[in-house]
Amino acid sequence: MKRLITAGLMFGNLVEITSPALIERYNRALRHLTGKTTQLQDFHIDISGFSPEIGEELNDDRYLNPNGANRQFILLTTAQKAAPLLNSQFSTSRGILRQFIDQNEAQLFALTARDAVAGELQGSVFGVDKPAQLFDIRKIVVQADTIGGHVRDAEKLAALIERFRKEPDGWRDDLLMAEMITLAKVTGDITRVPISLPEMAFEQGNFWTSHFGGLYIFRNVAVPGVICNRPESELGPMPISPVMDFAQRNEIAAWLERNELVEPIVNARGMDAAAVLRQKMDFIVVEAAEALALDLGGATRQDLRKIATRLGPALPDEFKGLAALLAWVERAGEWPMISSEHPAYFYTLRSRAHPDRDLVNMLLAELAPLDVRQLFITHKQRFYEAYAGWSDRKRQFVVDFLAREYQVDKQGARAALFGPEPGMDANDRPPPKPAVDLGRLVGPWGAIR
């Protein structure tokens, strides 16, 4: 993993903590939440305050998320909002933390200037022992305060001020005035600089979770469903259906089409489909060369074309299907009939523009895992798992490519692949299509016989 870290492809954008004052605040918060402290004199933290160095020191990568359901967080600075979320167990967690910081940035800036802010993403369950329990998580509540309780004290002081104003003889109440002065020494003048961190709630609609091998739960769509990495028979009873695993390609394809969640990249507005198809084909060639232990070195696109020529009939079906589609795009071939049973099928799709765009692209990355660029962008956890099993040859090639083609313009690359950022309004979702006949196979341009 050192190669990824050096290239900025792992643990990138973490916030460095070196100030003794910030380290002392972090330890106070860490002791408050977990009863533990760190002896490190410098470390890095993500948006939730989790530090990979402290995780290694404590031999516990879940020290801020012990039950796997209610993530705790430590904020030392509002700069954490730009950091990633490591070891995420729910796809919604980072977005919730980012919105919480954005909507309370002025208050958090003032509070973190004097103390660490600690809190928790509270769901309605305290652990996830069975897959069906995931459906009990419908709302995430964010609760936070400084370790010194500045928000709590400010609320108490506000109540005392209101009482002082309403009681005719309040100015004669020495105990009341003494308590107000004591609290004001901690909170400051809240009449001029109010302190408030309101409890915020976020709906947990459609999401991915790492529990039980990885589950995609879609509740807020026309036809709800669950898609899982493991065989669906291992999940037990579930409150909604269908429940599909990755081996059920036809069912997944029909379900995606029924809910209008995806579109063919060859029809996507503003996309250079030919360039995207060529890049996907390059990554498939890399995988084929890896299987034959061919030396990639610093292979260019021209070198990969030569390797593809050498492989000939040994090229995977994914490559052949995309090559046929590329020929059609460049008006050099007939329209290929790529059904949902074809290995290339999910490589030909991207999410439509709707609030769950990133979640659907994350799912497609798992269904088309040889496209390591999309896997890295949309599902880093799966990317790192795959990376651990690659040879040194493939690791070097992929790292060089991502550093050269993605790191230099992340926003541009994402826009080119997935389109502009969609709106967050659920009403942006298109109306459902009529039911799809599962007896037919589904192609990237719709259902075909």
Side-chain angles (χ1 to χ4, degrees):
M1 298 295 181
K2 291 182 179 179
R3 187 183 283 117
L4 288 170
I5 297 172
T6 302
L9 299 171
M10 190 175 190
F11 302 151
N13 293 332
L14 295 181
V15 178
E16 185 177 17
I17 304 299
T18 57
S19 163
L22 290 182
I23 293 172
E24 191 274 332
R25 290 179 190 173
Y26 188 91
N27 266 328
R28 289 183 63 216
L30 188 59
R31 187 184 300 110
H32 174 74
L33 293 175
T34 69
K36 303 173 183 178
T37 58
T38 178
Q39 301 302 314
L40 300 180
Q41 299 305 305
D42 61 87
F43 50 87
H44 298 77
I45 58 175
D46 69 3
I47 189 173
S48 73
F50 168 79
S51 167
E53 296 100 327
I54 295 176
E56 184 175 353
E57 177 193 22
L58 300 177
N59 194 29
D60 183 7
D61 283 340
R62 291 174 58 178
Y63 69 87
L64 287 181
N65 192 18
N67 64 6
N70 300 299
R71 182 116 186 184
Q72 298 171 315
F73 60 88
I74 299 171
L75 296 179
L76 297 180
T77 168
T78 54
Q80 287 173 234
K81 71 177 186 178
L85 178 64
L86 305 180
N87 300 328
S88 176
Q89 293 193 279
F90 290 90
S91 59
T92 53
S93 296
R94 185 184 183 278
I96 290 174
L97 282 169
R98 177 63 188 259
Q99 289 181 67
F100 172 73
I101 297 173
D102 280 341
Q103 294 182 33
N104 298 282
E105 188 160 8
Q107 291 288 342
L108 289 170
F109 182 83
L111 290 170
T112 54
R114 59 177 92 177
D115 202 354
V117 172
E120 184 176 354
L121 306 184
Q122 296 182 352
S124 52
V125 300
F126 296 96
V128 183
D129 300 319
K130 298 179 181 179
Q133 288 180 290
L134 292 166
F135 290 86
D136 295 331
I137 306 174
R138 294 190 171 273
K139 184 170 68 173
I140 302 298
V141 176
V142 184
Q143 292 184 334
D145 197 350
T146 64
I147 302 307
H150 289 83
V151 176
R152 179 195 62 225
D153 289 344
E155 291 174 350
K156 187 176 181 181
L157 178 56
L160 292 177
I161 292 173
E162 186 66 17
R163 175 183 157 192
F164 176 81
R165 288 171 173 170
K166 287 184 176 180
E167 292 183 1
D169 296 328
W171 61 276
R172 293 182 179 180
D173 190 334
D174 293 339
L175 290 178
L176 174 60
M177 296 182 68
E179 189 175 3
M180 290 170 58
I181 292 170
T182 300
L183 288 173
K185 289 178 180 179
V186 176
T187 65
D189 185 355
I190 64 169
T191 60
R192 293 186 178 182
V193 185
I195 296 177
S196 174
L197 277 181
E199 185 177 282
M200 299 180 66
F202 298 85
E203 294 298 321
Q204 185 89 333
N206 304 330
F207 61 92
W208 169 86
T209 175
S210 64
H211 290 284
F212 310 105
L215 293 174
Y216 293 84
I217 294 177
F218 289 85
R219 293 183 289 202
N220 297 345
V221 291
V223 181
V226 177
I227 301 174
C228 52
N229 204 342
R230 295 178 180 174
E232 54 92 11
S233 58
E234 296 181 5
L235 298 183
M238 299 289 275
I240 65 174
S241 64
V243 178
M244 302 161 281
D245 60 47
F246 286 173
Q248 298 171 279
R249 296 174 61 86
N250 291 344
E251 289 81 358
I252 293 174
W255 181 85
L256 289 170
E257 179 72 13
R258 173 71 176 87
N259 285 299
E260 290 197 334
L261 295 175
V262 296
E263 64 183 354
I265 60 176
V266 295
N267 293 342
R269 181 181 301 176
M271 171 178 273
D272 185 348
V276 172
L277 287 170
R278 287 193 187 94
Q279 195 62 72
K280 291 176 182 285
M281 291 164 62
D282 287 346
F283 287 128
I284 295 171
V285 171
V286 170
E287 178 64 22
E290 171 78 356
L292 298 176
L294 298 179
D295 185 13
L296 292 171
T300 63
R301 173 162 287 171
Q302 187 176 5
D303 296 329
L304 292 176
R305 289 290 181 266
K306 292 178 181 178
I307 293 174
T309 302
R310 285 179 56 191
L311 292 173
L315 284 167
D317 289 337
E318 291 93 335
F319 183 94
K320 296 174 184 177
L322 294 182
L325 192 56
L326 176 63
W328 177 83
V329 170
E330 296 181 332
R331 300 183 180 181
E334 297 294 326
W335 179 256
M337 304 304 286
I338 301 175
S339 75
S340 53
E341 289 185 334
H342 196 290
Y345 175 74
F346 290 108
Y347 291 86
T348 68
L349 303 177
R350 77 172 189 180
S351 174
R352 291 180 182 271
H354 51 69
D356 296 310
R357 185 196 69 171
D358 291 345
L359 181 64
V360 173
N361 282 326
M362 188 179 185
L363 169 63
L364 291 174
E366 287 207 74
L367 293 166
L370 299 184
D371 186 353
V372 295
R373 175 174 57 177
Q374 179 159 332
L375 192 64
F376 175 79
I377 295 173
T378 65
H379 204 332
K380 286 185 174 55
Q381 186 163 317
R382 289 287 186 256
F383 174 86
Y384 295 140
E385 291 171 0
Y387 180 92
W390 295 341
S391 71
D392 193 65
R393 297 184 303 273
K394 183 173 181 180
R395 290 177 182 175
Q396 188 62 55
F397 176 86
V398 173
V399 167
D400 288 345
F401 172 85
L402 291 174
R404 183 179 65 249
E405 303 287 340
Y406 174 66
Q407 286 290 88
V408 295
D409 185 12
K410 295 179 183 180
Q411 292 185 344
R414 291 180 64 89
L417 289 172
F418 311 127
E421 290 294 326
M424 297 304 295
D425 186 351
N427 294 326
D428 291 343
R429 196 185 312 280
K433 282 186 175 182
V436 174
D437 180 2
L438 292 182
R440 297 184 289 176
L441 303 182
V442 181
W445 43 88
I448 60 171
R449 290 287 180 185

